[in-house]
Amino acid sequence: MSTDTFQPIASRPPPESQLGWKAWVRRSFFDGWGNTALTVFTLIALLLVVPPLVQWAVIYAIPDADNDACRAAHGIGACWGVVAEKGRLILFGRFPYEEQWRASLASLALVVLLVLSCLRALWRPALVVAWIGVLSLFFVLMRGGVFGLSPVETARWGGLPLTLLLSTVSLVLAFPLSILLALGRQSHLPAIRTLCVLFIELVRGVPLISVLFMASFILPLFMPQGTTIDVLARVLIGMTLFAAAYLAEVIRGGLQAVPKGQLEAAQSLGLSYWQTQRMIVLPQALRLVVPAMVNTFIGVFKDTSLVTIVSLYDLTGAVQLALGDADWRKFFLEGQLFVAALYFVACFAMSRYSVWLEQHLNTGTRRQ
Amino acid sequence: MVQQPDSLSVSSRPPPKQRVWSWRSQAFRGTVYQIVALAVLLAAAAYLLHNTFANMRMRGIQSGFSFILQPAGFGIGESLLPFDSSNSYLYAYVVALSNTLRVALLGIVLATVLGTVIGIGRLSRNALVSTLCGAYVEITRNVPLLLQLFIWYFILTESLPPIEEAWQANGFFFSKNGLQFPLPVAELGAHLSTLGGTALGLVAAWWYARQARLRRESTGAMWPVWWPSVALVVGLTVLGWMAGGMHTEWDIPERTELNVVGGGSVTPEYLTVLLGLTIYTAGYIAEVVRAGIQSVPYGQHEAAASLGLSRAQELRLVLLPQALRVIIPPITSQYLNLTKNSSLAVAVGYPDLVSISSTSLNQTGRAIECIALVMACYLTMSLLTSAFMNFYNARARLKDR
Amino acid sequence: MNPQDPIIEFRCVNKWYGEFHVLRDIDLQVARGERIVICGPSGSGKSTLIRCINRLEEHQQGELVVDGKALSDDVKVVEAVRREVGMVFQQFNLFPHLTVLENLTLSPMWVGRIPKAEAEERAMQQLQRVRIAEQAHKYPLQLSGGQQQRVAIARALCLTPKIMLFDEPTSALDPEMINEVLDVMIELAGQGITMICVTHEMGFARSVADRVIFMDQGQIVEQNAPEAFFNNPQRERTRDFLSKILAH
């Protein structure tokens, strides 16, 4: 046994040159000739672009809806007044002016419902009732004709409520359909499998715009003689079919990722096909593909802008409509940027939510 | 006492033929489900078809594809191929397809270049560059493509000066009316000679690279490959050009009092679609490239470094082969998305497939045929792309047990 | 360089990961042909230490001299050092898109600038040395873990290095494959190459090592010949660690 005791070396802080923000700056920006050149080049580019941008967007901008002031400042300062002036047209499309309170109430209700649905704590059967209730309220408020509300035809629905309606309803309808399609694609029955594959590949192989055209022009031909189908309904059907095909592929990826042992265990327990799918396979499969599903939701939300091409004025279409006004047409960029910002906020929030959801749903799959 | 079997080996027999049929077996149920499903589908299809024909009769719409050989009766705003209203609908579709391909192919090339740069930039150590690239991806992915197209369209048609005051740079004119650029004057012999030189240069470069590789394998000596190859291609192109008579005539656009004449031109509609598609798709390609590069485990870099490979060698021999396997399938589907997204051109007035089909539809009233033609075109492109992806995946798969 | 000089010398080497002091005042000399086993609990800095030798990790303070060359940011020095040092990783890190033979000939051809035929001959020799020559044209993912690790050892040997570093080479293997790799390493040890091995295989340490080093919390706690180390550990911490490792 040795007589001298062991002297453990205490932890010391790293030398000055390694620590702190100065070292980080040096490592990140000035690390070698190439990196330094890149930093300098980027800084120069930013200096050329950012100050004029800030000047235009903020410093010399006109916040009031003053057409003359805006014209005077054209090219020098942004005219955010166009948002104030045309805001209601952009947000609600061609919905009658006096009834727009109904549209905003309906949108608010739907947004609140969506946000609340994101909270895990509220995932209970009562939520389904809430969904049915709010969607019915939405339709009643927008359509009118009852409870003393004046009727507003669906062709006049537009702006934010239309975007929300299209995305929400088409996704809600597409979801069960996509599960059936995904299961059908995995099926052992050749006829079912072929039909599902054909549908999915057909819808995924063509642009959304042609699906919408098909829905707009061909669906009326399918109707029995004498009946017509609502414009909005046609578009909804088209979007639903489109979303269902894409979601089906996402869910199929999840189904394939569920280990085969799960199926074997369920079969050995005596569960039927539908019981197995409902209680064992689908919960696991869906949990696995949450990020991909939310990506698809974001995609559908953005794709609702295409209804502009079939003359339904959602948020994107409404701003084009609003800028038809010759007086305010010069300030199209500010209007478009406003709508772009709305989309950005919504989509960005959804993608952040997807990240959060993925982390929280996986707490059951990792050892604590 | 346990009875032991008499013989030690049992010879192999073919399996018994299935003779047992049960009304309750899975197979029978499966057949019933399929028959029911098909019957329901056929019944629904018959009902819809019946309605369709009734409605078409009522509206006086004729059916059939015979209309495609009749004169179109409309003009097409821009195209590479000549077209006037007396050409058939079929030819109109062909021209529209060429327009779609014209914008999609160039868009794919540009988006790949831009997307790769941004994807690599996102992985940069330089916080400024990685943040800017990240911001680019977030912004372009969270705003709908149609809105981006509208924004670009307005910028290109309202913010630019009118053609009398077009911005000029060395024979390039940029204005509300699009971009005009110098074109070599068409002289077939000279062009063929130059192109022949380029082709010869490419062959020579390939041959040189091959020789360098053989040299390296037999003696270990490493000849430079990049610079000589580029020099060969450029040099032989110049030689070809010289051999063709040193053709230097360009059709340069010139400013007249109210216009700019001469040279080649592209419309603002084309530029809008090209710019919008490139910028939008580059964001997605950047993410694909980034994921591909990050998919290569860090241990591969450690192994390559410990073996003494330089950064460039490591990139070429270890990182890229593995990263490309992960990048190519999703990037192919992004290319397909770009081609399908080019259909939005109808919103800004660029005469692509969907736009022409919509015009034809309005004129002939034959909705089903026109839409079916368009869908057939896109489906063909999709299926070709899927086939390629499957082929590539099968070939490039890392071989394991 | 004098053959009596140590082939690797650490002089008061310190390394930090951000604020975390991972290597503390390391002083270590490794003689030519010496075989060293480094053991210690996880997080003690053993892997970091050997990664500093071939500059896969950079130290911030102190001097580290390998084969007469002082390691620094100088790219040429690092390249020269890496040509003399071979490394075997816990996760094998074979290149999955190349065959076994291509894995081995990659570095000699591209770094050593050796003709292909000669590189392949050398590669087959090394494959025979680790007894896996028949798998030369297979892809890494087609082999078992033990086979892959032997290929990894052969790949490192193709550089004819003076020093071989092993970073827990058997930790990722199924138990029945550990011995085939250890046998190869024991054979290697008997051939005069300098070896530094981070491992938990104490049997290997006993039979092969000239010196066993125990590291804990970034510093060298104790080093000794194997007999003395295992039978008469001097420090409390070493005794603690050995009792946990040698219990079963």
Side-chain angles (χ1 to χ4, degrees):
Chain A
M1 198 85 80
S2 158
T3 48
D4 58 330
T5 46
F6 174 63
Q7 303 282 3
I9 304 174
S11 165
R12 298 195 301 271
E16 259 312 305
S17 58
Q18 296 297 315
L19 263 188
W21 62 269
K22 286 206 204 107
W24 174 82
V25 164
R26 202 179 25 156
R27 254 199 315 274
S28 174
F29 300 130
F30 300 108
D31 191 9
W33 288 115
N35 208 354
T36 312
L38 190 62
T39 308
V40 168
F41 177 72
T42 316
L43 280 175
I44 292 179
L46 282 178
L47 278 169
L48 285 175
V49 168
V50 172
L53 203 63
V54 170
Q55 273 186 337
W56 178 81
V58 179
I59 301 180
Y60 295 125
I62 314 272
D64 316 306
D66 185 349
N67 201 329
D68 297 319
C70 274
R71 281 174 184 273
H74 183 58
I76 309 171
C79 178
W80 299 116
V82 74
V83 173
E85 171 76 18
K86 296 284 179 183
R88 291 180 67 153
L89 188 53
I90 294 174
L91 282 178
F92 300 114
R94 293 187 304 158
F95 211 79
Y97 196 81
E98 316 77 46
E99 311 290 339
Q100 277 175 359
W101 64 271
R102 287 160 45 184
S104 46
L105 193 59
S107 312
L108 190 63
L110 197 50
V111 169
V112 166
L113 176 71
L114 286 170
V115 169
L116 288 179
S117 303
C118 293
L119 303 171
R120 273 195 88 178
L122 294 173
W123 287 357
R124 289 175 213 163
L127 193 61
V128 179
V129 177
W131 268 83
I132 299 177
V134 172
L135 280 176
S136 319
L137 177 68
F138 186 93
F139 275 103
V140 162
L141 279 174
M142 293 292 287
R143 193 78 178 77
V146 292
F147 304 135
L149 300 169
S150 59
V152 178
E153 52 180 5
T154 57
R156 295 193 67 123
W157 296 10
L160 188 60
L162 185 62
T163 301
L164 286 173
L165 172 71
L166 284 171
S167 356
T168 317
V169 173
S170 67
L171 283 170
V172 162
L173 292 176
F175 195 69
L177 183 57
S178 64
I179 293 182
L180 289 175
L181 281 171
L183 289 175
R185 207 184 155 149
Q186 303 274 75
S187 161
H188 295 299
L189 306 173
I192 309 266
R193 191 172 62 237
T194 317
L195 286 173
C196 290
V197 168
L198 280 179
F199 177 81
I200 294 176
E201 291 303 321
L202 182 76
V203 175
R204 275 167 51 100
V206 297
L208 174 57
I209 191 72
S210 60
V211 173
L212 288 179
F213 273 162
M214 196 183 73
S216 296
F217 291 108
I218 298 186
L219 277 182
L221 293 175
F222 285 167
M223 290 290 115
Q225 274 192 311
T227 60
T228 54
I229 176 171
D230 190 67
V231 173
L232 187 57
R234 293 179 223 171
V235 164
L236 260 178
I237 292 176
M239 293 224 60
T240 304
L241 293 176
F242 190 76
Y246 278 83
L247 268 178
E249 279 299 279
V250 168
I251 294 177
R252 183 172 80 103
L255 288 175
Q256 284 178 330
V258 174
K260 194 154 168 268
Q262 297 289 307
L263 276 167
E264 295 181 334
Q267 278 173 344
S268 67
L269 285 171
L271 296 175
S272 77
Y273 174 78
W274 289 108
Q275 283 171 327
T276 314
Q277 300 301 331
R278 190 167 55 87
M279 296 192 286
I280 311 289
V281 175
L282 279 175
Q284 296 186 52
L286 293 177
R287 188 169 300 187
L288 285 170
V289 292
V290 155
M293 277 204 297
V294 177
N295 270 340
T296 314
F297 293 171
I298 297 178
V300 168
F301 181 74
K302 289 189 298 172
D303 284 339
T304 56
S305 56
L306 265 71
V307 303
T308 311
I309 301 181
V310 287
S311 305
L312 275 177
Y313 296 102
D314 76 313
L315 213 45
T316 309
V319 72
Q320 313 307 323
L321 205 59
L323 297 173
D325 182 351
D327 276 342
W328 291 93
R329 193 178 173 78
K330 287 170 98 60
F331 313 109
F332 68 86
L333 193 57
E334 290 85 328
Q336 309 259 30
L337 286 179
F338 168 66
V339 170
L342 285 178
Y343 274 111
F344 180 81
V345 163
C347 295
F348 191 72
M350 282 193 270
S351 63
R352 288 293 137 230
Y353 173 66
S354 138
V355 170
W356 176 87
L357 192 63
E358 194 191 0
Q359 283 170 351
H360 276 249
L361 280 183
N362 279 336
T363 48
T365 60
R366 290 208 187 124
R367 291 172 61 157
Q368 298 290 15
Chain B
M1 191 177 100
V2 177
Q3 194 77 331
Q4 302 292 351
D6 282 336
S7 58
L8 282 177
S9 65
V10 181
S11 56
S12 166
R13 293 196 303 271
K17 292 208 183 8
Q18 294 275 52
R19 284 251 172 245
V20 191
W21 174 263
S22 161
W23 294 109
R24 293 159 68 151
S25 72
Q26 279 282 61
F28 179 68
R29 280 196 193 176
T31 320
V32 168
Y33 290 149
Q34 291 179 82
I35 293 179
V36 167
L38 282 174
V40 166
L41 206 67
L42 282 172
Y47 174 68
L48 292 177
L49 272 173
H50 168 79
N51 283 343
T52 309
F53 284 130
N55 281 320
M56 282 168 73
R57 258 198 309 277
M58 192 180 75
R59 301 182 197 189
I61 304 174
Q62 289 155 318
S63 66
F65 282 94
S66 55
F67 75 96
I68 59 174
L69 294 173
Q70 286 165 10
F74 57 83
I76 295 185
E78 62 174 294
S79 67
L80 279 181
L81 307 166
F83 182 86
D84 65 66
S85 55
S86 65
N87 293 119
S88 65
Y89 282 101
L90 185 62
Y91 186 59
Y93 270 85
V94 170
V95 170
L97 183 61
S98 80
N99 276 342
T100 296
L101 288 176
R102 189 157 78 103
V103 76
L105 289 175
L106 188 56
I108 285 174
V109 169
L110 293 176
T112 307
V113 169
L114 183 60
T116 309
V117 167
I118 293 180
I120 296 177
R122 275 203 70 169
L123 294 172
S124 167
R125 219 174 4 184
N126 190 323
L128 203 57
V129 170
S130 68
T131 316
L132 282 176
C133 292
Y136 176 96
V137 171
E138 287 301 320
I139 292 177
T140 55
R141 279 165 48 126
N142 286 325
V143 177
L145 176 58
L146 189 60
L147 189 58
Q148 293 187 36
L149 282 180
F150 280 137
I151 292 179
W152 290 119
Y153 187 63
F154 276 114
I155 291 178
L156 286 175
T157 56
E158 310 239 346
S159 293
L160 290 178
I163 195 160
E164 308 90 70
E165 303 158 25
W167 293 342
Q168 182 182 359
N170 276 352
F172 287 81
F173 288 83
F174 199 30
S175 70
K176 267 190 211 185
N177 297 53
L179 178 71
Q180 269 138 318
F181 46 87
L183 268 184
V185 166
E187 206 180 305
L188 198 57
H191 291 328
L192 275 180
S193 175
T194 315
L195 284 173
T198 313
L200 205 61
L202 286 169
V203 170
W206 171 84
W207 178 86
Y208 173 78
R210 191 156 174 275
Q211 289 306 108
R213 182 172 62 85
L214 289 174
R215 207 91 229 279
R216 175 174 53 80
E217 288 180 0
S218 66
T219 66
M222 287 210 254
W223 288 351
V225 171
W226 285 111
W227 298 125
S229 301
V230 169
L232 273 172
V233 173
V234 170
L236 281 171
T237 308
V238 169
L239 278 177
W241 170 73
M242 279 168 36
M246 297 228 254
H247 166 86
T248 50
E249 300 228 339
W250 289 78
D251 183 8
I252 304 182
E254 269 173 6
R255 201 191 284 276
T256 64
E257 213 179 271
L258 288 174
N259 210 344
V260 173
V261 285
S265 69
V266 282
T267 58
E269 286 78 18
Y270 176 84
L271 285 174
T272 304
V273 178
L274 185 65
L275 199 60
L277 283 176
T278 302
I279 291 184
Y280 183 75
T281 315
Y284 285 88
I285 290 183
E287 281 300 279
V288 168
V289 167
R290 182 179 71 91
I293 296 178
Q294 284 182 322
S295 76
V296 181
Y298 186 65
Q300 293 289 303
H301 158 73
E302 290 196 315
S306 73
L307 285 171
L309 293 173
S310 72
R311 277 304 289 193
Q313 287 170 332
E314 176 189 328
L315 195 71
R316 184 182 147 190
L317 298 168
V318 176
L319 269 180
L320 268 179
Q322 295 187 61
L324 276 177
R325 281 173 165 83
V326 176
I327 288 177
I328 293 205
I331 219 179
T332 315
S333 85
Q334 286 307 322
Y335 291 166
L336 191 59
N337 280 344
L338 187 148
T339 312
K340 288 192 287 178
N341 283 337
S342 71
S343 60
L344 290 171
V346 67
V348 294
Y350 178 71
D352 80 311
L353 263 178
V354 170
S355 169
I356 295 299
S357 119
S358 159
T359 315
S360 310
L361 196 160
N362 281 330
Q363 269 192 225
T364 63
R366 307 203 191 188
I368 301 183
E369 289 85 347
C370 288
I371 295 178
L373 270 176
V374 166
M375 289 174 101
C377 287
Y378 279 107
L379 262 178
T380 314
M381 290 193 265
S382 291
L383 289 174
L384 283 175
T385 313
S386 293
F388 165 73
M389 242 185 353
N390 286 337
F391 165 73
Y392 175 82
N393 272 339
R395 265 197 57 175
R397 206 169 58 92
L398 289 176
K399 298 189 188 34
D400 60 0
R401 305 211 211 210
Chain C
M1 248 196 84
N2 197 331
Q4 312 290 40
D5 285 346
I7 197 171
I8 300 176
E9 191 165 355
F10 284 74
R11 284 185 219 132
C12 202
V13 168
N14 280 283
K15 180 178 168 61
W16 287 263
Y17 281 136
E19 296 269 351
F20 176 54
H21 196 175
V22 62
L23 289 178
R24 306 182 192 186
D25 293 340
I26 302 284
D27 285 296
L28 177 64
Q29 293 184 344
V30 179
R32 270 173 212 284
E34 191 175 359
R35 296 153 305 185
I36 295 190
V37 164
I38 306 181
C39 61
S42 63
S44 55
K46 334 185 277 290
S47 292
T48 313
L49 186 122
I50 62 169
R51 275 179 164 73
C52 285
I53 296 176
N54 67 352
R55 202 74 177 171
L56 285 182
E57 295 281 358
E58 299 173 2
H59 60 280
Q60 278 97 29
Q61 255 181 17
E63 275 177 19
L64 176 47
V65 181
V66 176
D67 196 31
K69 309 174 189 62
L71 281 176
S72 67
D73 278 335
D74 187 347
V75 175
K76 291 277 175 250
V77 167
V78 172
E79 278 177 10
V81 164
R82 284 180 181 166
R83 276 197 281 273
E84 302 296 340
V85 177
M87 185 155 183
V88 175
F89 300 88
Q90 182 177 354
Q91 300 294 342
F92 331 136
N93 289 339
L94 293 177
F95 303 132
H97 59 294
L98 302 174
T99 63
V100 163
L101 193 63
E102 286 165 351
N103 262 277
L104 266 66
T105 57
L106 187 72
S107 183
M109 276 175 28
W110 288 90
V111 180
R113 311 219 175 176
I114 291 171
K116 184 170 173 186
E118 192 182 320
E120 285 187 350
E121 202 186 301
R122 219 195 265 187
M124 289 306 292
Q125 273 173 8
Q126 299 300 340
L127 286 176
Q128 266 152 11
R129 196 170 168 187
V130 301
R131 290 189 284 272
I132 202 170
E134 69 280 2
Q135 311 286 4
H137 297 286
K138 291 244 180 88
Y139 284 86
L141 294 174
Q142 292 172 316
L143 304 177
S144 73
Q147 291 171 321
Q148 288 189 52
Q149 194 62 298
R150 286 189 278 149
V151 170
I153 295 175
R155 181 177 67 172
L157 288 174
C158 273
L159 305 169
T160 56
K162 292 184 185 150
I163 304 169
M164 279 288 279
L165 304 174
F166 293 84
D167 186 6
E168 303 208 36
T170 56
S171 296
L173 296 176
D174 289 337
E176 68 267 19
M177 296 195 241
I178 292 182
N179 278 330
E180 67 189 66
V181 174
L182 286 180
D183 286 340
V184 166
M185 287 168 66
I186 292 173
E187 227 179 277
L188 207 57
Q191 289 165 1
I193 198 169
T194 311
M195 271 171 71
I196 304 183
C197 190
V198 172
T199 185
H200 295 300
E201 296 291 325
M202 293 304 142
F204 172 78
R206 265 192 228 261
S207 60
V208 154
D210 295 319
R211 192 179 2 158
V212 180
I213 297 178
F214 173 64
M215 275 184 77
D216 191 13
Q217 292 189 353
Q219 60 179 118
I220 295 179
V221 174
E222 184 169 345
Q223 47 182 318
N224 224 328
E227 287 308 313
F229 182 86
F230 289 115
N231 295 337
N232 200 5
Q234 312 254 314
R235 308 279 189 222
E236 184 72 41
R237 283 206 214 169
T238 321
R239 283 197 290 276
D240 255 345
F241 176 73
L242 285 175
S243 69
K244 287 189 198 129
I245 277 231
L246 296 174
H248 48 273

